[in-house]
Amino acid sequence: MPHVVTANCNDCKYTDCCVVCPVECFYQDETMLYIDPEDCIDCEACVPECPVEAIYSEPNVPSQWSSFIQLNAERASALKSAGGDAHITEKAPAKEGPDCKKK
């Protein structure tokens, strides 16, 4: 079961999770991060690294955020195909936009 980045990451990008991922399955756009479900090995290394508690294993995604399962798959696939700097493997400066609610 892959992991999923959910609403808490929206406008609140912290990349601590990307650094610990052994299979480098994170992609980003200007708003948030996404996990490629094809590459995720369900190791859970990213979960404790997320300061906004945005990452869940797919079966544990809260029901109000279930749309993020498909969103991660679609956005990761599109960003992966596009190439460029969307694939993120290193820590970058945090993005704390106006909708960011850091815990």
Side-chain angles (χ1 to χ4, degrees):
M1 288 286 165
H3 279 70
V4 177
V5 181
T6 61
N8 286 354
C9 186
N10 190 29
D11 206 28
C12 202
K13 285 186 349 188
Y14 294 92
T15 56
D16 309 66
C17 53
C18 304
V19 177
V20 299
C21 180
V23 294
E24 300 178 345
C25 64
F26 281 87
Y27 291 84
Q28 66 175 341
D29 62 16
E30 59 284 341
T31 307
M32 63 181 280
L33 302 174
Y34 306 93
I35 294 175
D36 183 347
E38 298 295 319
D39 294 338
C40 180
I41 60 170
D42 194 28
C43 71
E44 298 188 13
C46 57
V47 176
E49 298 301 317
C50 181
V52 293
E53 299 176 4
I55 303 173
Y56 294 85
S57 64
E58 189 175 307
N60 295 328
V61 171
S63 60
Q64 72 269 26
W65 296 334
S66 62
S67 63
F68 282 85
I69 296 169
Q70 186 65 28
L71 179 66
N72 273 249
E74 290 172 356
R75 291 298 296 146
S77 177
L79 292 164
K80 190 179 201 178
S81 296
D85 63 353
H87 189 216
I88 184 161
T89 60
E90 296 180 14
K91 189 168 180 165
K95 177 196 178 212
E96 294 177 343
D99 293 327
C100 181
K101 295 172 181 69
K102 185 175 180 187
K103 297 191 180 219

